[in-house]
Amino acid sequence: YNIIQHQDIFVSQMKFSANSPWRYALLLTLFCTLSTSQGFTVTPLASRWKLLALAKIETETVSNTSRMSDTALRVQDTGTGTGMDGTEEEFPSLSILGICGSIGTGKSYASSLLTSKVNENDSNSNANDISGKMFAYHIDTDSLAHGVYAPGSQAIGEIEKEFGSGVVVNGTVDRKALGAIVFGEDKSKMASLERIVWPHVKNLLLSRLKEIQNSHKDGSQGIVVVEAAVLLDADWDINGLFDGIWIIRSSSETSAQRLVEKRGMSRQDALQRMEAQLTRRGIGNCEDELKDGTVTAVIDNDHDGEDNDGPDLWEKMRLCLLDPTCWKESR
């Protein structure tokens, strides 16, 4: 009874030592057996052990204050996403992590780094251990958004209705004509475009998540890293789709330098782009979003250059993977 009623406390406060791994295994087996009989959905244990191995947790000593992340070992809280037609999609085998932040902070690099580390660890595992497989995917929603403007997309008709026939030529959006409108003096035009586009991008996101889940029906568990600067503004988490939302943050000086060196922007253009994003949720007000629990972690990424970013940035993300406060269930 105590295990079922207090499973979060039970799992998060378990201590590991070289002398008591059998005790942990016995109790957790009992926990899984009872929770299954009570109708809980239990994530396969082997994949949670894989994340512990990935994060290089030593089984010999763990301090009393150390706690494992719910992503490393937890009862799976199924994420739910609702599409434009009101249909709800559930993703019980996926831990969905949102990555957001301003331009130049290194969101893409952080997302790719996290994904590659998880997959790298999986490639070194026993190929015959199906239940222990752990996979990771990186979804860049900017790339998904290109599909919204593809010929035949439902959004094209909505864009034409909102902005006039001059922005659509032969069934294709004239980006130059549309850009002249939404980047003009009337800021409400951009907001109108976003209201049209964002729901379609979320639909594409849900479709991609469904594809990933359907391609892994062997009992494996996965992390899907969703890179989306507008995640909070677009309200994509309104139905609890994400298990965690992390902001990647860097100083304005570091971000500007990256934009100049890696994207060829002038320093003035870089600063203007950064300033324009300060009104975005999770960028200008990231501490407020963290305090109220909307955002579950803020990761500073101020090292200059990807060669130097890697070890330091991965260490910060590794710790967030293990910290239960960096995931919704513990906030």
Side-chain angles (χ1 to χ4, degrees):
Y1 172 84
N2 285 334
I3 292 174
I4 293 298
Q5 293 299 317
H6 306 288
Q7 66 268 21
D8 291 336
I9 297 175
F10 171 75
V11 172
S12 66
Q13 292 186 353
M14 280 301 300
K15 295 181 292 185
F16 290 79
S17 73
N19 297 323
S20 63
W22 63 269
R23 182 180 306 165
Y24 170 77
L26 178 61
L27 288 174
L28 196 55
T29 299
L30 175 62
F31 163 61
C32 291
T33 302
L34 291 174
S35 61
T36 301
S37 69
Q38 295 294 320
F40 289 94
T41 300
V42 181
T43 301
L45 299 180
S47 59
R48 297 312 173 201
W49 278 106
K50 295 291 288 299
L51 264 183
L52 290 175
L54 168 66
K56 299 179 181 178
I57 291 295
E58 299 293 336
T59 58
E60 293 182 356
T61 56
V62 176
S63 69
N64 292 342
T65 57
S66 296
R67 296 185 298 171
M68 293 184 301
S69 165
D70 288 335
T71 295
L73 186 59
R74 64 183 172 89
V75 177
Q76 183 74 25
D77 182 17
T78 304
T80 302
T82 303
M84 293 175 66
D85 60 358
T87 302
E88 287 193 351
E89 300 285 355
E90 294 187 344
F91 306 99
S93 64
L94 305 178
S95 290
I96 304 172
L97 174 65
I99 298 288
C100 50
S102 182
I103 187 173
T105 57
K107 296 186 301 297
S108 296
Y109 179 62
S111 301
S112 298
L113 179 63
L114 178 55
T115 304
S116 65
K117 287 290 186 180
V118 174
N119 287 328
E120 177 185 313
N121 181 75
D122 185 65
S123 67
N124 294 328
S125 64
N126 183 354
N128 295 321
D129 181 14
I130 296 178
S131 65
K133 287 184 179 180
M134 190 75 201
F135 59 87
Y137 285 82
H138 171 203
I139 300 177
D140 179 4
T141 55
D142 281 347
S143 297
L144 286 182
H146 293 313
V148 175
Y149 297 96
S153 169
Q154 178 184 342
I156 292 181
E158 296 174 23
I159 292 172
E160 184 175 17
K161 182 178 179 180
E162 178 69 27
F163 298 102
S165 58
V167 300
V168 177
V169 179
N170 297 325
T172 302
V173 173
D174 184 335
R175 291 176 177 268
K176 185 175 181 180
L178 182 60
I181 296 173
V182 299
F183 291 110
E185 293 183 0
D186 188 350
K187 303 301 182 184
S188 68
K189 297 297 184 181
M190 175 61 80
S192 297
L193 179 63
E194 291 171 344
R195 282 195 297 271
I196 294 172
V197 171
W198 285 348
H200 289 283
V201 177
K202 184 179 181 181
N203 260 12
L204 293 174
L205 172 60
L206 293 175
S207 295
R208 179 63 180 132
L209 290 171
K210 190 172 183 179
E211 288 176 2
I212 293 172
Q213 179 166 263
N214 289 340
S215 66
H216 293 274
K217 294 185 175 180
D218 55 2
S220 58
Q221 295 288 306
I223 292 181
V224 180
V225 181
V226 179
E227 179 190 346
V230 301
L231 188 160
L232 299 177
D233 284 298
D235 281 334
W236 288 343
D237 193 40
I238 193 170
N239 294 104
L241 175 62
F242 294 89
D243 295 291
I245 298 175
W246 298 356
I247 292 176
I248 306 298
R249 178 176 65 182
S250 63
S251 67
S252 57
E253 182 60 35
T254 299
S255 295
Q257 182 179 346
R258 288 176 179 146
L259 294 174
V260 169
E261 294 179 356
K262 298 178 182 179
R263 300 199 190 182
M265 294 184 185
S266 69
R267 180 176 175 79
Q268 181 178 359
D269 286 344
L271 292 173
Q272 287 178 344
R273 289 282 299 274
M274 290 160 51
E275 183 178 359
Q277 291 191 345
L278 288 177
T279 57
R280 293 288 188 197
R281 287 183 59 194
I283 296 177
N285 69 334
C286 66
E287 294 297 340
D288 293 335
E289 301 282 3
L290 180 65
K291 185 177 180 180
D292 69 20
T294 302
V295 168
T296 55
V298 176
I299 299 174
D300 289 311
N301 181 31
D302 270 319
H303 283 282
D304 184 22
E306 290 187 357
D307 291 339
N308 293 327
D309 282 347
D312 182 71
L313 181 58
W314 165 238
E315 176 64 13
K316 292 176 180 178
M317 290 192 293
R318 183 186 72 85
L319 293 176
C320 285
L321 281 173
L322 296 174
D323 186 348
T325 64
C326 293
W327 301 88
K328 285 185 182 178
E329 292 85 348
S330 295
R331 294 189 67 81

